[in-house]
Amino acid sequence: MALVSYSIEVFMVPDLAPSDDERAAAQGSAGAQGSAAAPERAAAQGSAGALPTHADVVIIGAGVMGTSAAYFLASAGIRNIVVVDSGAVGQGSSAKPLGGIRATFSDSANIELGKHSLDEYLRFEQDFGVDVGVDQVGYLFLVRNESDLQACENGVKLQNDLGAASRMVTTAEAAQICPFIDPASICAASYSPEDGYAVPGRVVNAYADAARALGVRIHPHCAVEAIDTTAGQVTAVHTAGGEIKTPVVVCAAGAWSEKIGAMAGVALPVTPVKRQIGFTPQRSTPFPRVPFTLDLASTLYFHNNRNGMLFGMSDNRQPAGFDLEYSTEWLEPFRAVAAKCAPELADLEVVSGWAGLYEVTPDHNALIGRSDTVEGFIYATGFSGHGFLQAPGVGELVRDLYLGRESFMDASAFRADRFQLQQLVHETHII
């Protein structure tokens, strides 16, 4: 497990899955907030020194987006960067993602961003000297109806045109790739062997370490209370630790972004919604190695977790809000769908799990851009469940937005004003 050192103490951002000891503990305390299996095991963080009174950039949010943005800004020569967060580094939504990395989307902007980020993850160890657990198990999207089939076929063609390796597979081949699948339950599938997953905690730690080495100051447990603007220009950020004069704010606050935007008079339509995952017991022998498998029709998903399995499904009955108490009501619809397309999974025991927050926008796609109404307000939020996999590219986009230069892609499709302009992003491959 990777470590991030501050001037006094060491804290840990967790790996994706709980340890065997934590699984055992979880059996007796699955009702705790986030569950005992959730990664709430970081030690108290140390201080980054006194909160500065001035900064060139203040980044709000110390998750994977905030730390990625901090690193890429600092690597471009911006030195007076401060990152603040109301909690610990990497302990918001970044503590509880699935860790998937992929270029498999149906929208061209998502494909470009996913592909660029996937390439960065594949060379992450080379660039940062940190093993972030990249495992290219592939992604398998199951198709169970004709409308999804057309969308999936169109998506594969676009993915190939943009350099991503994916292909349509028959029902028989899908069952060979993933033996849990009942081939009679699907009409086709798409397979992208270069996709996979990585360990989110290690990525956040690596970005935070690299950013601090370049002079970035990270202040956890330093909640933002207000943002000052004068004549339409950001001028200061007020935190629990004091005021920071700054001309630029980067909102990377995840599920809390709507509130942060409102402080500056910027509309960021981001709604927090609880999403949950479950873990089976660890077996003496592993399950068959399978891709990250997802059912387009229901959002059911699963993949290996050492000698056990991890699985989940978006529950549309879940109300919006910041509820993080782990519960098991989502297992009923999950088991009903699994009984149809992956019968062996339907009755597996779940011994632990955790709850995290999706930061959902009206079209379930990211908000990345610079405010047209408040100068100096940049945002990177609202990723609606696929933020971790896009984080490396997003850090570069934020850097280039700050510098006012062309980036590796045109990210204008992700502007926050697209909802007023009725220019929504239409994406099929979301969970």
Side-chain angles (χ1 to χ4, degrees), residues 284-350:
S284 58
T285 57
F287 285 96
R289 178 176 165 86
V290 299
F292 198 137
T293 303
L294 306 96
D295 175 42
L296 281 173
S298 67
T299 74
L300 170 146
Y301 56 84
F302 59 88
H303 65 69
N304 299 91
N305 175 44
R306 297 193 289 272
N307 282 11
M309 298 296 294
L310 171 158
F311 47 65
M313 189 172 78
S314 297
D315 187 351
N316 293 329
R317 303 170 302 177
Q318 183 66 48
F322 290 94
D323 174 24
L324 280 172
E325 183 175 354
Y326 178 71
S327 56
T328 59
E329 70 278 355
W330 64 274
L331 281 170
E332 180 182 354
F334 171 87
R335 295 189 190 283
V337 175
K340 298 176 182 177
C341 59
E344 188 177 342
L345 299 179
D347 296 320
L348 287 182
E349 180 186 8
V350 174

Side-chain angles (χ1 to χ4, degrees), residues 111-371:
I111 296 169
E112 287 186 81
L113 184 51
K115 177 69 166 62
H116 187 86
S117 297
L118 175 61
D119 290 344
E120 290 204 28
Y121 277 124
L122 296 182
R123 63 173 185 266
F124 203 98
E125 186 170 3
Q126 175 184 335
D127 291 347
F128 291 88
V130 177
D131 176 9
V132 293
V134 171
D135 192 350
Q136 290 179 277
V137 297
Y139 260 69
L140 185 70
F141 279 91
L142 307 179
V143 179
R144 292 196 292 129
N145 59 62
E146 289 299 321
S147 62
D148 283 344
L149 177 59
Q150 184 65 54
C152 207
E153 290 175 338
N154 292 341
V156 165
K157 183 181 185 304
L158 186 56
Q159 292 152 25
N160 294 166
D161 289 345
L162 293 172
S166 59
R167 58 188 174 90
M168 296 299 298
V169 297
T170 65
T171 59
E173 189 175 1
Q176 288 180 334
I177 295 169
C178 180
F180 291 111
I181 299 304
D182 177 3
S185 69
I186 63 176
C187 56
S190 72
Y191 179 52
S192 47
E194 293 184 356
D195 296 345
Y197 47 82
V199 179
R202 298 183 196 176
V203 172
V204 175
N205 280 342
Y207 278 138
D209 263 344
R212 290 190 307 106
L214 292 171
V216 174
R217 287 162 289 183
I218 302 176
H219 289 264
H221 307 295
C222 186
V224 172
E225 298 174 344
I227 298 173
D228 288 348
T229 63
T230 301
Q233 165 70 55
V234 169
T235 56
V237 174
H238 296 266
T239 77
E243 181 188 52
I244 309 171
K245 297 288 188 182
T246 184
V248 177
V249 163
V250 176
C251 177
W256 295 266
S257 293
E258 186 171 50
K259 178 181 178 182
I260 297 298
M263 292 179 184
V266 177
L268 296 176
V270 176
T271 301
V273 179
K274 180 168 75 172
R275 290 289 184 257
Q276 305 185 89
I277 60 176
F279 298 94
T280 71
Q282 293 293 302
R283 307 197 318 176
S284 58
T285 57
F287 285 96
R289 178 176 165 86
V290 299
F292 198 137
T293 303
L294 306 96
D295 175 42
L296 281 173
S298 67
T299 74
L300 170 146
Y301 56 84
F302 59 88
H303 65 69
N304 299 91
N305 175 44
R306 297 193 289 272
N307 282 11
M309 298 296 294
L310 171 158
F311 47 65
M313 189 172 78
S314 297
D315 187 351
N316 293 329
R317 303 170 302 177
Q318 183 66 48
F322 290 94
D323 174 24
L324 280 172
E325 183 175 354
Y326 178 71
S327 56
T328 59
E329 70 278 355
W330 64 274
L331 281 170
E332 180 182 354
F334 171 87
R335 295 189 190 283
V337 175
K340 298 176 182 177
C341 59
E344 188 177 342
L345 299 179
D347 296 320
L348 287 182
E349 180 186 8
V350 174
V351 295
S352 61
W354 68 57
L357 293 176
Y358 267 21
E359 44 184 291
V360 180
T361 65
D363 64 3
H364 297 267
N365 286 280
L367 305 178
I368 306 170
R370 178 189 286 272
S371 173

